[in-house]
Amino acid sequence: MRKSSVIRIALAGTGLIALTAGILQGGYQDTLMKAVRICMECIGIG
């Protein structure tokens, strides 16, 4: 395999590991709640 292909696969694997760790720690819930608050403030409801 070419060196660039190995690097791409390694970076993709690292990204998937980081994504999985964030999901397991509940990080997406914080992001979702912040996004909802910002949207509500823009609309003028919150």
Side-chain angles (χ1 to χ4, degrees):
M1 245 196 268
R2 295 173 67 181
K3 184 177 178 180
S4 62
S5 296
V6 173
I7 292 172
R8 287 180 186 165
I9 291 171
L11 286 174
T14 304
L16 286 174
I17 290 170
L19 182 65
T20 303
I23 289 171
L24 291 175
Q25 291 179 352
Y28 69 94
Q29 291 174 342
D30 294 333
T31 304
L32 178 63
M33 292 308 296
K34 288 177 185 178
V36 168
R37 263 188 251 126
I38 289 171
C39 286
M40 292 296 188
E41 289 175 5
C42 286
I43 294 173
I45 297 174

